Each structure stands twice: as C-alpha cells, then as structure tokens.
Amino acid sequence: FERHIEIVWGNVINYQRIYRMEEKIAICHNPRARDSNIRQALIDRFGAVGTKKNPGYFYGFKKDIWAAMAVAVTYHDKYLTDRE
C-alpha cells in the first residue's frame, strides 16, 4: 500500500492513516464500539437522518458512507481542530 501511494502521488500529498481503533475511541470514547454505536454517535453529533419528505443531514447514507464519515470526523477531530 505504501508503495502504491508513493507511485501514484509521489511527495505531493501528505496522508495520514486512520485506524479503526482510533476511530472508535475518537467518536465513541470506547474501544469496544460497534458500527451501530459509531452511527448513533454521529447522529447525536450532527443531527437526525430524517425521512424522504424531511431529509436530515445523513439522509441517504449507506453503510460505506457511514464508515467514510466516521474516518473524516476522526481525521478532523485529531488533526485539523488544533490548526483552527
């Protein structure tokens, strides 16, 4: 994987790996959190999913999008909030 990143991006983009354990601790403050706990913590933080008639922030999210959102929130909280 490291070689792939090096070949594709060279030294142009810095990246940071987010491990699953980091994500669980950052979002749920519990290393034994499951996907459903992470999903609920994101809903508690950003708002309800909503319905078709009244869509919320997460309306239309599927399992893979929830996972991507969790990684993004973890990255933001750990690496970007110090810069602001």
Side-chain angles (χ1 to χ4, degrees):
F1 181 75
E2 297 290 332
R3 185 69 180 142
H4 177 71
I5 294 293
E6 184 180 329
I7 290 169
V8 173
W9 297 106
N11 292 325
V12 177
I13 296 177
N14 292 328
Y15 66 95
Q16 179 66 39
R17 286 186 178 193
I18 301 295
Y19 293 98
R20 181 80 170 145
M21 188 61 65
E22 285 180 273
E23 181 181 303
K24 291 177 178 185
I25 293 170
I27 295 174
C28 296
H29 309 291
N30 184 351
R32 296 190 305 173
R34 297 175 156 303
D35 286 343
S36 59
N37 303 116
I38 294 171
R39 180 181 185 271
Q40 187 59 52
L42 290 172
I43 290 170
D44 292 344
R45 182 170 173 178
F46 293 104
V49 176
T51 62
K52 185 174 184 178
K53 194 171 188 177
N54 187 18
Y57 188 80
F58 294 118
Y59 181 74
F61 271 39
K62 303 294 182 212
K63 189 173 183 177
D64 56 340
I65 302 173
W66 283 107
M69 182 67 173
V71 170
V73 168
T74 302
Y75 181 83
H76 178 270
D77 290 351
K78 289 188 76 170
Y79 300 105
L80 297 180
T81 53
D82 295 337
R83 295 180 187 174
E84 293 176 354

